[in-house]
Amino acid sequence: MLGSCSRDEQVGPVIVSVIGTDKQLAEPLKSVMSPASKLILEATAQGIVAFDESGQIVPALAQRWIVEDEGRSYIFRLRRARWPDGSHITAPEVARLLEARIKSNLALDPLGDLEVVREVVPMTGEVIEIRLSAARPYFLQMLAQPQMAITGPDGGTGPYRKQKRANTYFLRPVDDPMAHAGEDMPEIPAWHNRVVRAERAAKAISRFKLGLSQLVLGGRLADLPLLSKSGVDNSSVHIDPVQGLLGLAVTGRSAFLDDDPIREALSAAIERERLLANFAIGGWGITDMLMPQQLDLPRPPSAPRWHGLSISERRNFAANAVNQWRSANGAVPVLRIALPEGAGARILFQLISSDLRRIGVPSRQVPIDDDEADLRLIDEVAAYDSAAWYLGRLSCARKVHCSEAADVKLSEAAIAPTEDARFALLADAEALVVAHAGYIPLAAPVRWSLATRLLNGFTSSPRARHPLNHLFRATN
């Protein structure tokens, strides 16, 4: 059994199911935010640094680094590594590929903090410097994201090499030739290998329950109800203590949604306490606020105007706004709410739609990728610990109902000459975003995994990252 494995015993590879699709595993850079794409990227194409199983920054392609110029210069010494074709990796190659990843990520998040990168410079064959226009204390967290993977046409530098086998990927640890100079390469124990497949949550849970896999990754709120019906032992269920955004972004433009009191009313009408009753998750927190804590704001996060009112008072407040709009404009339109597939998403819709119906707003559920959606679920774990991440996800570049004034403040914050000026501008932007009410906060994101007790290195992660080479306490 896998449970009796040690560094010397020969057992089979760890079988891993990740909730997603084959395409996400095969073409991860085309869907970098999906769990399957992130998993295969961090397994086969590590970045400069990475997250370990507890969410801490650890060396990856860089073996060490120093920070200079008051946080505006990061100098990395690369470890000796090879591309899949056996050629040595050089600093100029890494610098070029890293600049490409930065550019690609900025296309998704133009107001994100990667905008602070001024240049990436190869200093020698093994050393690169990243120069910033302003210091960012969480810059290493940004570089550790799986979507910052350094990869070429044939793959990256590990920690695994992948080989496609039918509908799965066989992952074999990358050998370190420098560790065995002048010696024959030792045979890799079978339990160091991984077999990864992407599949629907129901199939992944069933496979795990039957003992056909040892690990399931990528679970979200949409599929959470499947666990309670599956009979999987609670000791195998791991809930990550993550922070981020789980709520509805206003994405439609209409006379109804362009009305400021209406957007405020939609958020006020939702009884978030019912989420806790319908999703039994220990330690899960609901919220009516954009940010979960102060982070780098100079003051506590802003609350909506109706914060602190009882649910009956909020419903009266919201119904009055809807009635006034109806009197001036006519019938209230049916709101299209875009949610992912899954039993959890259906429960979420039922709760939200019933609350909206109470204030006279009809709604219907549509697919998450519906371009005509009026409200769309945002379900993302915060990539780094800054108000800038939360505000960037609700900027005009994200095609949500946004505050242009907040975007201006966020842009000014990116180039602020001092830390105090930056914090003040972030606070201004946060207050504007909250007042605009283009986002309806619901709760913290939910990330769950299934792991057998035999994977004694597996632990819940505040970053929802579970590196496949950290599944055992023994070095693998």
Side-chain angles (χ1 to χ4, degrees), residues 245-253 256-268 270 272 288-290 304 306 335 373-378 390-396 398-404 406-407 429-442:
L245 296 175
L246 179 67
L248 297 171
V250 179
T251 52
R253 301 304 296 247
F256 187 66
L257 294 174
D258 288 347
D259 189 80
D260 293 348
I262 288 297
R263 296 194 305 277
E264 189 178 32
L266 296 178
S267 188
I270 295 176
R272 292 159 178 82
D288 57 13
M289 300 169 69
L290 167 61
W306 43 265
L335 293 185
D374 296 303
L375 305 176
R376 179 174 287 110
L377 185 71
I378 294 181
Y390 293 85
L391 298 172
R393 290 306 179 274
L394 301 174
S395 69
C396 299
R398 285 297 181 112
K399 298 181 180 179
V400 301
H401 206 297
C402 61
S403 166
E404 293 182 357
D407 270 22
E430 186 260 1
L432 289 167
V433 169
V434 172
H436 184 78
Y439 172 70
I440 302 172
L442 296 175

Short mmCIF file of all heavy atoms in Angstrom, two decimals, residues 245-253 256-268 270 272 288-290 304 306 335 373-378 390-396 398-404 406-407 429-442:
data_model
loop_
_atom_site.label_atom_id
_atom_site.label_comp_id
_atom_site.label_asym_id
_atom_site.label_seq_id
_atom_site.Cartn_x
_atom_site.Cartn_y
_atom_site.Cartn_z
N LEU A 245 -11.97 36.77 -3.84
CA LEU A 245 -13.29 37.26 -4.23
C LEU A 245 -14.22 36.10 -4.57
O LEU A 245 -13.89 35.25 -5.39
CB LEU A 245 -13.17 38.18 -5.46
CG LEU A 245 -12.39 39.48 -5.28
CD1 LEU A 245 -12.27 40.21 -6.61
CD2 LEU A 245 -13.04 40.37 -4.24
N LEU A 246 -15.35 36.07 -3.93
CA LEU A 246 -16.47 35.20 -4.32
C LEU A 246 -17.71 36.07 -4.26
O LEU A 246 -18.20 36.41 -3.18
CB LEU A 246 -16.61 34.00 -3.38
CG LEU A 246 -17.78 33.07 -3.73
CD1 LEU A 246 -17.54 32.37 -5.06
CD2 LEU A 246 -18.02 32.04 -2.63
N GLY A 247 -18.17 36.47 -5.43
CA GLY A 247 -19.32 37.36 -5.50
C GLY A 247 -19.74 37.57 -6.94
O GLY A 247 -19.20 36.97 -7.87
N LEU A 248 -20.71 38.44 -7.12
CA LEU A 248 -21.28 38.70 -8.44
C LEU A 248 -20.83 40.06 -8.94
O LEU A 248 -21.08 41.08 -8.29
CB LEU A 248 -22.80 38.64 -8.38
CG LEU A 248 -23.41 37.30 -7.99
CD1 LEU A 248 -24.91 37.44 -7.74
CD2 LEU A 248 -23.13 36.24 -9.05
N ALA A 249 -20.17 40.08 -10.08
CA ALA A 249 -19.81 41.33 -10.73
C ALA A 249 -20.93 41.75 -11.65
O ALA A 249 -21.49 40.92 -12.39
CB ALA A 249 -18.51 41.17 -11.52
N VAL A 250 -21.27 43.01 -11.61
CA VAL A 250 -22.26 43.55 -12.55
C VAL A 250 -21.56 43.71 -13.90
O VAL A 250 -20.62 44.50 -14.04
CB VAL A 250 -22.82 44.89 -12.07
CG1 VAL A 250 -23.83 45.44 -13.07
CG2 VAL A 250 -23.45 44.75 -10.69
N THR A 251 -21.99 42.94 -14.89
CA THR A 251 -21.35 42.96 -16.21
C THR A 251 -22.26 43.50 -17.29
O THR A 251 -21.81 43.81 -18.39
CB THR A 251 -20.87 41.55 -16.60
OG1 THR A 251 -21.96 40.63 -16.46
CG2 THR A 251 -19.73 41.10 -15.70
N GLY A 252 -23.56 43.58 -17.01
CA GLY A 252 -24.49 44.10 -18.01
C GLY A 252 -24.58 45.62 -17.97
O GLY A 252 -24.30 46.25 -16.95
N ARG A 253 -24.92 46.21 -19.09
CA ARG A 253 -25.17 47.66 -19.17
C ARG A 253 -26.59 47.85 -19.65
O ARG A 253 -26.96 47.40 -20.74
CB ARG A 253 -24.17 48.32 -20.12
CG ARG A 253 -22.71 48.15 -19.74
CD ARG A 253 -22.40 48.64 -18.32
NE ARG A 253 -22.61 50.05 -18.14
CZ ARG A 253 -21.63 50.92 -17.90
NH1 ARG A 253 -20.37 50.52 -17.84
NH2 ARG A 253 -21.91 52.20 -17.70
N PHE A 256 -31.48 49.83 -16.21
CA PHE A 256 -31.70 49.28 -14.87
C PHE A 256 -30.38 49.20 -14.09
O PHE A 256 -30.27 49.72 -12.97
CB PHE A 256 -32.35 47.91 -14.98
CG PHE A 256 -32.78 47.32 -13.67
CD1 PHE A 256 -33.79 47.89 -12.92
CD2 PHE A 256 -32.16 46.17 -13.18
CE1 PHE A 256 -34.18 47.34 -11.70
CE2 PHE A 256 -32.55 45.61 -11.97
CZ PHE A 256 -33.56 46.20 -11.23
N LEU A 257 -29.37 48.57 -14.68
CA LEU A 257 -28.11 48.36 -13.97
C LEU A 257 -27.24 49.61 -13.93
O LEU A 257 -26.34 49.71 -13.09
CB LEU A 257 -27.34 47.21 -14.62
CG LEU A 257 -28.00 45.83 -14.47
CD1 LEU A 257 -27.22 44.79 -15.27
CD2 LEU A 257 -28.09 45.42 -13.01
N ASP A 258 -27.50 50.56 -14.83
CA ASP A 258 -26.74 51.81 -14.79
C ASP A 258 -27.23 52.76 -13.69
O ASP A 258 -26.59 53.78 -13.43
CB ASP A 258 -26.85 52.53 -16.15
CG ASP A 258 -26.04 51.83 -17.23
OD1 ASP A 258 -25.22 50.96 -16.88
OD2 ASP A 258 -26.25 52.15 -18.42
N ASP A 259 -28.32 52.38 -13.04
CA ASP A 259 -28.87 53.20 -11.97
C ASP A 259 -28.14 52.86 -10.66
O ASP A 259 -28.18 51.72 -10.19
CB ASP A 259 -30.36 52.90 -11.83
CG ASP A 259 -31.05 53.86 -10.88
OD1 ASP A 259 -31.37 54.97 -11.29
OD2 ASP A 259 -31.25 53.47 -9.70
N ASP A 260 -27.49 53.85 -10.08
CA ASP A 260 -26.67 53.61 -8.88
C ASP A 260 -27.47 52.99 -7.73
O ASP A 260 -27.01 52.02 -7.11
CB ASP A 260 -26.00 54.91 -8.42
CG ASP A 260 -24.96 55.41 -9.42
OD1 ASP A 260 -24.60 54.65 -10.34
OD2 ASP A 260 -24.52 56.56 -9.28
N PRO A 261 -28.64 53.51 -7.38
CA PRO A 261 -29.39 52.91 -6.27
C PRO A 261 -29.80 51.46 -6.54
O PRO A 261 -29.92 50.67 -5.60
CB PRO A 261 -30.63 53.82 -6.16
CG PRO A 261 -30.19 55.13 -6.71
CD PRO A 261 -29.26 54.78 -7.83
N ILE A 262 -29.99 51.10 -7.82
CA ILE A 262 -30.38 49.73 -8.13
C ILE A 262 -29.22 48.77 -7.84
O ILE A 262 -29.42 47.70 -7.24
CB ILE A 262 -30.82 49.60 -9.61
CG1 ILE A 262 -32.19 50.28 -9.80
CG2 ILE A 262 -30.86 48.14 -10.06
CD1 ILE A 262 -33.31 49.62 -9.00
N ARG A 263 -28.01 49.11 -8.27
CA ARG A 263 -26.88 48.23 -7.99
C ARG A 263 -26.68 48.07 -6.48
O ARG A 263 -26.40 46.96 -5.98
CB ARG A 263 -25.60 48.77 -8.64
CG ARG A 263 -25.65 48.80 -10.15
CD ARG A 263 -24.26 49.02 -10.74
NE ARG A 263 -23.60 50.22 -10.21
CZ ARG A 263 -23.81 51.45 -10.67
NH1 ARG A 263 -24.66 51.66 -11.67
NH2 ARG A 263 -23.17 52.48 -10.14
N GLU A 264 -26.84 49.15 -5.75
CA GLU A 264 -26.74 49.09 -4.30
C GLU A 264 -27.84 48.20 -3.72
O GLU A 264 -27.60 47.40 -2.80
CB GLU A 264 -26.82 50.51 -3.73
CG GLU A 264 -26.52 50.61 -2.26
CD GLU A 264 -26.56 52.05 -1.78
OE1 GLU A 264 -27.37 52.85 -2.34
OE2 GLU A 264 -25.83 52.39 -0.85
N ALA A 265 -29.04 48.30 -4.28
CA ALA A 265 -30.17 47.52 -3.78
C ALA A 265 -29.97 46.03 -4.00
O ALA A 265 -30.32 45.20 -3.15
CB ALA A 265 -31.46 47.99 -4.47
N LEU A 266 -29.39 45.65 -5.14
CA LEU A 266 -29.19 44.23 -5.44
C LEU A 266 -28.29 43.59 -4.39
O LEU A 266 -28.53 42.45 -3.96
CB LEU A 266 -28.57 44.07 -6.83
CG LEU A 266 -29.43 44.53 -8.02
CD1 LEU A 266 -28.66 44.36 -9.32
CD2 LEU A 266 -30.75 43.78 -8.07
N SER A 267 -27.26 44.29 -3.98
CA SER A 267 -26.34 43.74 -2.98
C SER A 267 -26.99 43.71 -1.61
O SER A 267 -26.83 42.74 -0.84
CB SER A 267 -25.06 44.57 -2.95
OG SER A 267 -24.08 43.97 -2.14
N ALA A 268 -27.72 44.75 -1.28
CA ALA A 268 -28.35 44.84 0.05
C ALA A 268 -29.40 43.75 0.26
O ALA A 268 -29.63 43.28 1.38
CB ALA A 268 -28.99 46.21 0.24
N ILE A 270 -29.49 40.60 -0.60
CA ILE A 270 -29.06 39.21 -0.48
C ILE A 270 -28.78 38.86 0.98
O ILE A 270 -28.00 39.52 1.66
CB ILE A 270 -27.83 38.95 -1.34
CG1 ILE A 270 -28.19 39.13 -2.82
CG2 ILE A 270 -27.27 37.56 -1.10
CD1 ILE A 270 -27.04 39.00 -3.77
N ARG A 272 -26.92 36.81 3.06
CA ARG A 272 -25.72 35.98 2.98
C ARG A 272 -25.69 34.88 4.04
O ARG A 272 -25.04 33.84 3.84
CB ARG A 272 -24.48 36.87 3.07
CG ARG A 272 -24.32 37.76 1.85
CD ARG A 272 -23.46 38.97 2.12
NE ARG A 272 -23.28 39.80 0.93
CZ ARG A 272 -24.17 40.70 0.51
NH1 ARG A 272 -25.30 40.89 1.18
NH2 ARG A 272 -23.95 41.40 -0.58
N ASP A 288 -20.08 41.23 3.29
CA ASP A 288 -20.73 42.21 2.42
C ASP A 288 -19.73 43.30 2.03
O ASP A 288 -20.10 44.35 1.53
CB ASP A 288 -21.96 42.84 3.09
CG ASP A 288 -21.63 43.49 4.43
OD1 ASP A 288 -20.44 43.68 4.73
OD2 ASP A 288 -22.57 43.80 5.20
N MET A 289 -18.44 43.01 2.24
CA MET A 289 -17.38 43.97 1.97
C MET A 289 -16.44 43.46 0.89
O MET A 289 -16.26 42.25 0.72
CB MET A 289 -16.61 44.30 3.26
CG MET A 289 -17.51 44.91 4.34
SD MET A 289 -16.71 45.02 5.96
CE MET A 289 -15.49 46.28 5.64
N LEU A 290 -15.86 44.38 0.15
CA LEU A 290 -14.96 44.02 -0.93
C LEU A 290 -13.71 43.33 -0.43
O LEU A 290 -13.31 42.30 -0.97
CB LEU A 290 -14.58 45.28 -1.72
CG LEU A 290 -13.42 45.17 -2.72
CD1 LEU A 290 -13.74 44.15 -3.81
CD2 LEU A 290 -13.11 46.54 -3.32
N PRO A 304 -20.46 49.00 2.78
CA PRO A 304 -21.56 49.64 2.06
C PRO A 304 -22.45 50.43 3.01
O PRO A 304 -22.44 50.22 4.23
CB PRO A 304 -22.31 48.46 1.45
CG PRO A 304 -21.96 47.29 2.32
CD PRO A 304 -20.55 47.53 2.77
N TRP A 306 -25.50 50.32 3.69
CA TRP A 306 -26.51 49.58 4.42
C TRP A 306 -25.90 48.56 5.39
O TRP A 306 -26.61 47.78 6.03
CB TRP A 306 -27.42 48.85 3.43
CG TRP A 306 -26.68 48.19 2.30
CD1 TRP A 306 -26.45 48.70 1.08
CD2 TRP A 306 -26.06 46.90 2.33
NE1 TRP A 306 -25.71 47.82 0.31
CE2 TRP A 306 -25.46 46.70 1.07
CE3 TRP A 306 -25.94 45.89 3.28
CZ2 TRP A 306 -24.77 45.54 0.73
CZ3 TRP A 306 -25.24 44.74 2.97
CH2 TRP A 306 -24.67 44.57 1.70
N LEU A 335 -32.93 39.62 -14.86
CA LEU A 335 -31.47 39.62 -14.79
C LEU A 335 -30.93 38.24 -15.13
O LEU A 335 -31.40 37.22 -14.61
CB LEU A 335 -31.00 40.01 -13.39
CG LEU A 335 -31.27 41.45 -12.93
CD1 LEU A 335 -30.62 41.69 -11.58
CD2 LEU A 335 -30.75 42.45 -13.96
N ALA A 373 -24.58 38.16 -20.08
CA ALA A 373 -24.93 38.08 -18.67
C ALA A 373 -24.97 39.47 -18.04
O ALA A 373 -24.18 40.36 -18.38
CB ALA A 373 -23.95 37.20 -17.93
N ASP A 374 -25.90 39.64 -17.11
CA ASP A 374 -26.00 40.89 -16.35
C ASP A 374 -25.14 40.85 -15.08
O ASP A 374 -24.57 41.85 -14.67
CB ASP A 374 -27.45 41.16 -15.96
CG ASP A 374 -28.33 41.37 -17.18
OD1 ASP A 374 -28.03 42.28 -17.97
OD2 ASP A 374 -29.31 40.61 -17.35
N LEU A 375 -25.12 39.68 -14.45
CA LEU A 375 -24.27 39.44 -13.28
C LEU A 375 -23.46 38.19 -13.54
O LEU A 375 -23.99 37.21 -14.06
CB LEU A 375 -25.12 39.26 -12.01
CG LEU A 375 -26.13 40.35 -11.64
CD1 LEU A 375 -26.93 39.93 -10.40
CD2 LEU A 375 -25.42 41.67 -11.37
N ARG A 376 -22.18 38.21 -13.18
CA ARG A 376 -21.33 37.04 -13.41
C ARG A 376 -20.51 36.75 -12.16
O ARG A 376 -19.97 37.65 -11.53
CB ARG A 376 -20.39 37.26 -14.59
CG ARG A 376 -19.46 36.08 -14.85
CD ARG A 376 -18.63 36.24 -16.12
NE ARG A 376 -19.45 36.05 -17.31
CZ ARG A 376 -19.79 37.02 -18.15
NH1 ARG A 376 -19.38 38.26 -17.95
NH2 ARG A 376 -20.54 36.76 -19.20
N LEU A 377 -20.46 35.46 -11.80
CA LEU A 377 -19.72 35.06 -10.60
C LEU A 377 -18.23 35.26 -10.78
O LEU A 377 -17.65 34.83 -11.78
CB LEU A 377 -20.01 33.60 -10.26
CG LEU A 377 -19.39 33.11 -8.95
CD1 LEU A 377 -20.11 33.71 -7.75
CD2 LEU A 377 -19.40 31.59 -8.88
N ILE A 378 -17.61 35.94 -9.84
CA ILE A 378 -16.15 35.99 -9.72
C ILE A 378 -15.77 35.06 -8.58
O ILE A 378 -16.28 35.18 -7.47
CB ILE A 378 -15.64 37.41 -9.43
CG1 ILE A 378 -15.92 38.34 -10.62
CG2 ILE A 378 -14.15 37.40 -9.12
CD1 ILE A 378 -15.41 39.76 -10.40
N TYR A 390 -7.41 43.25 -5.38
CA TYR A 390 -8.88 43.28 -5.34
C TYR A 390 -9.42 44.36 -6.28
O TYR A 390 -10.38 44.13 -7.03
CB TYR A 390 -9.35 43.53 -3.91
CG TYR A 390 -9.06 42.39 -2.98
CD1 TYR A 390 -7.82 42.27 -2.35
CD2 TYR A 390 -10.00 41.41 -2.73
CE1 TYR A 390 -7.53 41.21 -1.51
CE2 TYR A 390 -9.73 40.34 -1.87
CZ TYR A 390 -8.49 40.25 -1.28
OH TYR A 390 -8.22 39.19 -0.45
N LEU A 391 -8.80 45.51 -6.26
CA LEU A 391 -9.27 46.61 -7.09
C LEU A 391 -9.02 46.33 -8.57
O LEU A 391 -9.84 46.69 -9.42
CB LEU A 391 -8.58 47.91 -6.66
CG LEU A 391 -8.86 48.35 -5.22
CD1 LEU A 391 -7.97 49.52 -4.84
CD2 LEU A 391 -10.33 48.70 -5.05
N GLY A 392 -7.90 45.70 -8.87
CA GLY A 392 -7.60 45.37 -10.27
C GLY A 392 -8.60 44.41 -10.86
O GLY A 392 -8.92 44.47 -12.05
N ARG A 393 -9.15 43.50 -10.04
CA ARG A 393 -10.13 42.53 -10.54
C ARG A 393 -11.47 43.19 -10.85
O ARG A 393 -12.32 42.59 -11.53
CB ARG A 393 -10.34 41.41 -9.51
CG ARG A 393 -9.16 40.47 -9.35
CD ARG A 393 -8.75 39.90 -10.70
NE ARG A 393 -7.60 39.02 -10.63
CZ ARG A 393 -6.33 39.40 -10.67
NH1 ARG A 393 -6.04 40.68 -10.71
NH2 ARG A 393 -5.36 38.52 -10.66
N LEU A 394 -11.67 44.41 -10.38
CA LEU A 394 -12.93 45.11 -10.62
C LEU A 394 -12.72 46.39 -11.41
O LEU A 394 -13.54 47.30 -11.38
CB LEU A 394 -13.60 45.42 -9.28
CG LEU A 394 -13.91 44.19 -8.42
CD1 LEU A 394 -14.44 44.59 -7.06
CD2 LEU A 394 -14.89 43.26 -9.12
N SER A 395 -11.61 46.46 -12.14
CA SER A 395 -11.31 47.64 -12.95
C SER A 395 -12.08 47.57 -14.26
O SER A 395 -12.63 46.53 -14.64
CB SER A 395 -9.81 47.73 -13.23
OG SER A 395 -9.40 46.70 -14.10
N CYS A 396 -12.09 48.68 -14.96
CA CYS A 396 -12.82 48.74 -16.25
C CYS A 396 -12.23 47.77 -17.27
O CYS A 396 -12.95 47.30 -18.16
CB CYS A 396 -12.78 50.17 -16.77
SG CYS A 396 -13.58 51.38 -15.67
N ARG A 398 -11.54 44.81 -16.84
CA ARG A 398 -12.14 43.50 -16.65
C ARG A 398 -13.57 43.42 -17.19
O ARG A 398 -14.25 42.42 -16.98
CB ARG A 398 -12.11 43.13 -15.17
CG ARG A 398 -10.73 42.71 -14.65
CD ARG A 398 -10.26 41.45 -15.36
NE ARG A 398 -8.99 40.98 -14.91
CZ ARG A 398 -8.79 39.86 -14.23
NH1 ARG A 398 -9.80 39.09 -13.91
NH2 ARG A 398 -7.57 39.48 -13.89
N LYS A 399 -14.02 44.46 -17.84
CA LYS A 399 -15.35 44.48 -18.47
C LYS A 399 -16.46 44.25 -17.45
O LYS A 399 -17.42 43.51 -17.68
CB LYS A 399 -15.43 43.45 -19.60
CG LYS A 399 -14.45 43.73 -20.72
CD LYS A 399 -14.57 42.70 -21.85
CE LYS A 399 -13.57 43.00 -22.96
NZ LYS A 399 -13.64 42.01 -24.06
N VAL A 400 -16.32 44.93 -16.31
CA VAL A 400 -17.38 44.93 -15.31
C VAL A 400 -17.91 46.35 -15.21
O VAL A 400 -17.31 47.29 -15.73
CB VAL A 400 -16.86 44.44 -13.94
CG1 VAL A 400 -16.30 43.04 -14.05
CG2 VAL A 400 -15.80 45.39 -13.38
N HIS A 401 -19.04 46.51 -14.54
CA HIS A 401 -19.62 47.84 -14.34
C HIS A 401 -18.72 48.56 -13.34
O HIS A 401 -18.74 48.28 -12.14
CB HIS A 401 -21.04 47.74 -13.81
CG HIS A 401 -21.89 48.91 -14.16
ND1 HIS A 401 -21.61 50.18 -13.69
CD2 HIS A 401 -23.00 49.03 -14.94
CE1 HIS A 401 -22.52 51.03 -14.15
NE2 HIS A 401 -23.37 50.35 -14.92
N CYS A 402 -17.89 49.47 -13.82
CA CYS A 402 -16.76 49.96 -13.04
C CYS A 402 -16.85 51.46 -12.76
O CYS A 402 -17.63 52.18 -13.37
CB CYS A 402 -15.46 49.68 -13.78
SG CYS A 402 -15.39 50.50 -15.39
N SER A 403 -16.00 51.88 -11.85
CA SER A 403 -15.83 53.29 -11.54
C SER A 403 -14.60 53.80 -12.28
O SER A 403 -13.47 53.40 -11.95
CB SER A 403 -15.67 53.50 -10.03
OG SER A 403 -15.18 54.79 -9.75
N GLU A 404 -14.80 54.66 -13.25
CA GLU A 404 -13.66 55.21 -13.98
C GLU A 404 -12.78 56.05 -13.06
O GLU A 404 -11.55 56.08 -13.21
CB GLU A 404 -14.15 56.03 -15.17
CG GLU A 404 -14.83 55.19 -16.24
CD GLU A 404 -15.25 56.02 -17.44
OE1 GLU A 404 -15.05 57.25 -17.40
OE2 GLU A 404 -15.79 55.42 -18.40
N ALA A 406 -12.21 55.44 -9.96
CA ALA A 406 -11.38 54.51 -9.19
C ALA A 406 -10.21 54.02 -10.03
O ALA A 406 -9.09 53.85 -9.51
CB ALA A 406 -12.22 53.33 -8.73
N ASP A 407 -10.43 53.79 -11.32
CA ASP A 407 -9.34 53.37 -12.21
C ASP A 407 -8.24 54.43 -12.26
O ASP A 407 -7.05 54.10 -12.29
CB ASP A 407 -9.88 53.11 -13.61
CG ASP A 407 -10.33 51.66 -13.81
OD1 ASP A 407 -10.61 51.01 -12.78
OD2 ASP A 407 -10.37 51.20 -14.95
N ALA A 429 -9.32 54.76 -4.12
CA ALA A 429 -9.87 53.86 -5.15
C ALA A 429 -10.82 52.85 -4.53
O ALA A 429 -11.90 52.57 -5.07
CB ALA A 429 -8.73 53.15 -5.88
N GLU A 430 -10.45 52.29 -3.38
CA GLU A 430 -11.30 51.28 -2.73
C GLU A 430 -12.64 51.88 -2.33
O GLU A 430 -13.70 51.27 -2.52
CB GLU A 430 -10.55 50.72 -1.51
CG GLU A 430 -11.25 49.58 -0.82
CD GLU A 430 -12.00 50.01 0.43
OE1 GLU A 430 -11.97 51.23 0.75
OE2 GLU A 430 -12.65 49.16 1.07
N ALA A 431 -12.63 53.10 -1.79
CA ALA A 431 -13.89 53.75 -1.40
C ALA A 431 -14.77 54.00 -2.62
O ALA A 431 -16.01 53.83 -2.55
CB ALA A 431 -13.58 55.06 -0.68
N LEU A 432 -14.18 54.38 -3.73
CA LEU A 432 -14.95 54.63 -4.96
C LEU A 432 -15.55 53.34 -5.51
O LEU A 432 -16.70 53.33 -5.97
CB LEU A 432 -14.05 55.28 -6.00
CG LEU A 432 -13.66 56.74 -5.72
CD1 LEU A 432 -12.52 57.18 -6.65
CD2 LEU A 432 -14.87 57.67 -5.90
N VAL A 433 -14.79 52.25 -5.48
CA VAL A 433 -15.29 50.96 -5.98
C VAL A 433 -16.46 50.49 -5.12
O VAL A 433 -17.48 50.02 -5.64
CB VAL A 433 -14.16 49.91 -6.01
CG1 VAL A 433 -14.74 48.52 -6.27
CG2 VAL A 433 -13.14 50.26 -7.09
N VAL A 434 -16.32 50.58 -3.81
CA VAL A 434 -17.40 50.15 -2.91
C VAL A 434 -18.65 51.00 -3.12
O VAL A 434 -19.76 50.49 -3.21
CB VAL A 434 -16.93 50.20 -1.45
CG1 VAL A 434 -18.10 49.96 -0.50
CG2 VAL A 434 -15.83 49.18 -1.20
N ALA A 435 -18.47 52.31 -3.25
CA ALA A 435 -19.62 53.20 -3.45
C ALA A 435 -20.30 52.95 -4.80
O ALA A 435 -21.52 53.08 -4.92
CB ALA A 435 -19.17 54.66 -3.35
N HIS A 436 -19.51 52.57 -5.81
CA HIS A 436 -20.08 52.32 -7.13
C HIS A 436 -20.97 51.07 -7.14
O HIS A 436 -21.91 50.99 -7.94
CB HIS A 436 -18.94 52.15 -8.14
CG HIS A 436 -19.42 51.99 -9.55
ND1 HIS A 436 -19.83 53.05 -10.32
CD2 HIS A 436 -19.56 50.88 -10.33
CE1 HIS A 436 -20.20 52.62 -11.51
NE2 HIS A 436 -20.05 51.31 -11.55
N ALA A 437 -20.67 50.10 -6.27
CA ALA A 437 -21.49 48.89 -6.13
C ALA A 437 -21.59 48.09 -7.42
O ALA A 437 -22.65 47.55 -7.75
CB ALA A 437 -22.89 49.24 -5.61
N GLY A 438 -20.48 47.99 -8.14
CA GLY A 438 -20.45 47.15 -9.33
C GLY A 438 -20.09 45.72 -9.03
O GLY A 438 -19.99 44.89 -9.94
N TYR A 439 -19.90 45.42 -7.75
CA TYR A 439 -19.57 44.05 -7.32
C TYR A 439 -20.37 43.75 -6.07
O TYR A 439 -20.47 44.57 -5.16
CB TYR A 439 -18.08 43.94 -7.03
CG TYR A 439 -17.66 42.63 -6.39
CD1 TYR A 439 -17.69 41.44 -7.10
CD2 TYR A 439 -17.26 42.59 -5.04
CE1 TYR A 439 -17.31 40.25 -6.51
CE2 TYR A 439 -16.88 41.40 -4.45
CZ TYR A 439 -16.91 40.23 -5.18
OH TYR A 439 -16.54 39.05 -4.59
N ILE A 440 -20.97 42.55 -6.03
CA ILE A 440 -21.78 42.11 -4.91
C ILE A 440 -20.99 41.06 -4.14
O ILE A 440 -20.95 39.89 -4.55
CB ILE A 440 -23.13 41.53 -5.39
CG1 ILE A 440 -23.90 42.57 -6.21
CG2 ILE A 440 -23.96 41.03 -4.22
CD1 ILE A 440 -25.16 42.02 -6.87
N PRO A 441 -20.34 41.42 -3.04
CA PRO A 441 -19.58 40.43 -2.27
C PRO A 441 -20.52 39.42 -1.62
O PRO A 441 -21.61 39.77 -1.16
CB PRO A 441 -18.86 41.27 -1.21
CG PRO A 441 -19.04 42.71 -1.63
CD PRO A 441 -20.28 42.76 -2.44
N LEU A 442 -20.07 38.17 -1.57
CA LEU A 442 -20.87 37.13 -0.93
C LEU A 442 -20.12 36.45 0.21
O LEU A 442 -20.63 36.33 1.32
CB LEU A 442 -21.30 36.08 -1.96
CG LEU A 442 -22.22 36.56 -3.09
CD1 LEU A 442 -22.47 35.44 -4.08
CD2 LEU A 442 -23.54 37.08 -2.52
#
